[in-house]
Amino acid sequence: MATRMCMRLHLMRKSKFLTDRPTAFLKDTCTRTLKTYKSRRPVLSELFHKRQSLGPEPERHPSAYGIWNYDSEVYAFGKRLGEDFKDEILKTSLVLRSYQEEDEKAKEILLDDYSEENDDDDNTVSRDSNEQLAKQGEKLASRYVKAYLRATYPEMFEEGISAVHDYLTSDEMFAYVGSQLGLKDIILKMDYPPTDEDYSVTMKAVIGALAASQDVARAEAFVRDFFIVQLVAEDINEIWDVINPMGVLTNILKKMGLSPPEPRLIWKSAASTVMSVYHVGLYSDRTLLGRAPGETVSIAEEMAARDALKKYMNTQDHRAPLKFREAAEKLQIDYDRKNASLSNLSSGS
Amino acid sequence: MSSRSMPSTFVKNAMQNGLGRYVSQLQRITLNFCKSHSDSLGMRNFVEHHLMDFSKMNPGVVVYVKPRRHRPPRIVATFLNGNTQTFNVSSLPKEDICKWVEAMRTRSGVEVMRIRKTWHTDTPSIQGPWHPFLFKDPVNNTTSFPEPSLYSVQAGESASDRLLQRAEKLRQEQTAVASDITPEQEQITVGSGS
């Protein structure tokens, strides 16, 4: 069945590509003209300009070059990632809705011709699209990413966890990872190459397919190894932009029963130049909470508040690295756990 | 060509590969050869002797073998990032082809370019940025200058003092050794010596 689908896809593509190659056609028909010395230059020049105006060749699917085995490609896709997928489920996860609709139409036409000759036909079994699997995969990834982040950053506020989670499970991230894992050629779609949306949906569906083929734990390890890993070179304090750091810090101190933060200018230099540096420290009850440099006093003050927040949430630049591989297995992951929230902080005080 | 005009890059890793799990970046490899021509002999030998082992050991790589009549043999490697590398392997023995295939298997697939440094990091410092006050003591904020304790030289012991101390120490040791030896011990040592 898969072979037949591939052939159909291939034929559709082939018919499309045949139409946009007029120069080759011209060159074949102009052989007699080209033999004449005098007319050679204008003809070639015309052909050249026609080629230029057409622009670059469209990107073609590898099957257009005649070397293609869909079953092997799908099998290798699973093996490459170190996973044992169930073949049928993985193949379902690669079928986009648009392709499935087109396929249904083609099948109806074929069926009308075919049913006159033969009634029982096993090739008419319709294949589902990957939407259901994509929903499952997205849910699974989202749940695990949140639980992993909460276990790794127990002191971070829930808003921050959500921001990092949104970054990791954004459509762009799914599309990026999907495009880098070799989905490009095996996604079943009429057009080529696939768009970011196609990559995103298919990547989610692959996660869903893994959970369905093996178990949820295996799919979660997949999410960790390919999505949470993308956090390695990132600064999570920049992913979550705290809007009013000084206000947040005041609320925290209030809740802890300490006096509000008191900014003090520790150092300043080159005040009247473009290279000015102010160094502000934040104190509460004579203890230093955080300190930071800045171009102006207000910038330095805000940065000092961010520094104090980083210390409070334990997300400093020198925090322990994220846990992967064997270390990640030992991580205590509690799916019901929730971190403290900023909204609770302000309402409770 | 000078190094300024040549394109250059930093060391890159394909999508943090290996931090979670390692994914071989070679997606598919196509081996083209002629069935009769002599310059494809090495490739034919490779296909006959090593190709099965290679594909068994690397199930994640799709191998296509395509004969093409009276054309030189070549290897076409396609990588996960979409890059393709094609090269001619005419008249190469099968050992060399093994090495090339291995090179393709272990490649990351990024374009081969001059690398500016052999290392790269996205987070150059975990200690924060440098600023002029990084190692300054805030005590100096309230100090009124000139402050004699900041520039006065501490009077320590001189070299001759240290020599005299050493001589004194040696003298004490010698007297201690001399007092340890009793007259009886001296007799014994003298007697055994004769």
Side-chain angles (χ1 to χ4, degrees), chain A residues 202-348:
Chain A
T202 315
M203 195 62 234
K204 287 170 190 167
V206 166
I207 297 170
L210 183 57
S213 306
Q214 295 194 50
D215 56 348
V216 175
R218 195 81 191 156
E220 286 175 344
F222 183 90
V223 172
R224 188 177 64 225
D225 287 347
F226 292 107
F227 288 88
I228 296 176
V229 152
Q230 305 306 324
L231 213 56
V232 163
E234 300 291 337
D235 183 3
I236 55 164
N237 298 300
E238 283 182 9
I239 294 173
W240 179 40
D241 188 21
V242 189
I243 293 159
N244 179 12
M246 192 58 100
V248 171
L249 190 64
T250 315
N251 280 338
I252 292 169
L253 292 174
K254 209 172 180 181
K255 193 114 188 169
M256 290 163 80
L258 298 169
S259 57
E262 189 188 348
R264 288 284 181 96
L265 187 64
I266 309 179
W267 303 98
K268 68 170 182 177
S269 171
S272 59
T273 70
V274 286
M275 303 285 281
S276 60
V277 178
Y278 295 88
H279 202 80
V280 170
L282 283 186
Y283 295 84
S284 168
D285 295 332
R286 303 184 75 83
T287 52
L288 184 67
L289 301 173
R291 46 188 276 182
E295 290 92 336
T296 63
V297 177
S298 52
I299 291 174
E301 200 181 313
E302 197 195 318
M303 294 313 289
R306 284 181 195 277
D307 187 46
L309 272 184
K310 269 192 207 177
K311 275 183 192 163
Y312 179 78
M313 296 192 299
N314 206 6
T315 57
Q316 302 102 317
D317 293 344
H318 61 265
R319 66 186 180 271
L322 292 169
K323 289 184 169 63
F324 299 116
R325 292 181 175 239
E326 293 83 16
E329 303 294 331
K330 290 173 198 154
L331 205 64
Q332 298 290 325
I333 285 182
D334 180 8
Y335 292 101
D336 302 325
R337 180 203 154 91
K338 277 207 169 180
N339 286 4
S341 171
L342 277 185
S343 54
N344 287 348
L345 200 72
S346 50
S347 65

Side-chain angles (χ1 to χ4, degrees), chain A residues 62 65-70 72-73 75-77 79-83 176-186 210 218 221-226 229-234 265-269 277-279 291 293 317-318 324-325, chain B residues 13-32 58-66 74 76 78-82 121-123 125-141:
Chain A
Y65 299 99
I67 306 178
W68 184 249
N69 185 337
Y70 187 70
S72 308
E73 295 278 347
Y75 173 79
F77 172 77
K79 288 290 166 193
R80 191 182 302 133
L81 304 178
E83 303 290 356
Y176 167 68
V177 174
S179 65
Q180 297 295 307
L181 287 183
L183 283 175
K184 190 178 180 184
D185 302 332
I186 56 174
L210 183 57
R218 195 81 191 156
F222 183 90
V223 172
R224 188 177 64 225
D225 287 347
F226 292 107
V229 152
Q230 305 306 324
L231 213 56
V232 163
E234 300 291 337
L265 187 64
I266 309 179
W267 303 98
K268 68 170 182 177
S269 171
V277 178
Y278 295 88
H279 202 80
R291 46 188 276 182
D317 293 344
H318 61 265
F324 299 116
R325 292 181 175 239
Chain B
N13 187 9
M15 218 185 61
Q16 315 284 5
N17 191 9
L19 268 173
R21 70 180 75 166
Y22 175 73
V23 175
S24 172
Q25 296 292 304
L26 181 61
Q27 189 179 14
R28 69 179 73 95
I29 191 163
T30 310
L31 309 173
N32 293 121
N58 302 290
V61 180
V62 192
V63 182
Y64 295 101
V65 177
K66 193 184 184 191
R74 63 170 187 177
V76 184
T78 312
F79 297 93
L80 286 184
N81 61 2
T121 175
D122 289 324
T123 47
S125 168
I126 59 164
Q127 299 163 345
W130 180 89
H131 50 84
F133 318 119
L134 191 62
F135 299 114
K136 268 192 178 176
D137 189 1
V139 167
N140 291 348
N141 274 334

Side-chain angles (χ1 to χ4, degrees), chain A residues 146 150 156-163 338-342:
Chain A
K146 275 208 166 160
R150 282 173 187 146
M156 198 174 186
F157 289 108
E158 198 57 33
E159 283 79 2
I161 297 282
S162 295
K338 277 207 169 180
N339 286 4
S341 171
L342 277 185

Side-chain angles (χ1 to χ4, degrees), chain B residues 112-194:
Chain B
V112 177
M113 231 186 254
R114 182 171 66 88
I115 293 172
R116 294 197 209 172
K117 287 194 176 77
T118 51
W119 54 270
H120 180 72
T121 175
D122 289 324
T123 47
S125 168
I126 59 164
Q127 299 163 345
W130 180 89
H131 50 84
F133 318 119
L134 191 62
F135 299 114
K136 268 192 178 176
D137 189 1
V139 167
N140 291 348
N141 274 334
T142 50
T143 317
S144 58
F145 296 101
E147 171 63 44
S149 65
L150 288 176
Y151 58 82
S152 59
V153 180
Q154 298 284 323
E157 54 179 6
S158 67
S160 20
D161 281 344
R162 227 174 288 158
L163 269 177
L164 284 173
Q165 276 175 15
R166 222 174 141 190
E168 183 61 30
K169 204 179 168 187
L170 274 171
R171 205 173 297 129
Q172 278 174 4
E173 278 172 10
Q174 276 175 356
T175 50
V177 169
S179 63
D180 281 352
I181 299 169
T182 54
E184 289 172 22
Q185 283 175 330
E186 216 169 345
Q187 278 177 2
I188 292 163
T189 49
V190 169
S192 62
S194 60

Side-chain angles (χ1 to χ4, degrees), chain A residues 1-13 61 63 68 70-71 74 90-108 110 123 125-131 184-192 194-195 197-198 201-202:
Chain A
M1 184 183 161
T3 336
R4 193 172 161 166
M5 281 170 86
C6 272
M7 260 182 70
R8 198 178 295 151
L9 188 66
H10 175 64
L11 283 174
M12 282 170 188
R13 287 203 181 105
H61 191 267
S63 63
W68 184 249
Y70 187 70
D71 291 334
V74 172
L90 179 57
K91 277 183 179 164
T92 308
S93 76
L94 300 171
V95 180
L96 286 174
R97 190 186 172 77
S98 60
Y99 177 86
Q100 191 222 8
E101 281 165 0
E102 288 287 319
D103 197 51
E104 293 282 319
K105 276 182 208 163
K107 219 165 265 171
E108 273 171 27
L110 276 176
N123 282 337
V125 183
S126 70
R127 172 170 284 184
D128 295 332
S129 74
N130 58 9
E131 281 188 328
K184 190 178 180 184
D185 302 332
I186 56 174
I187 289 180
L188 284 181
K189 203 202 172 195
M190 288 302 161
D191 305 322
Y192 184 84
T195 60
E197 197 194 338
D198 303 333
V201 171
T202 315

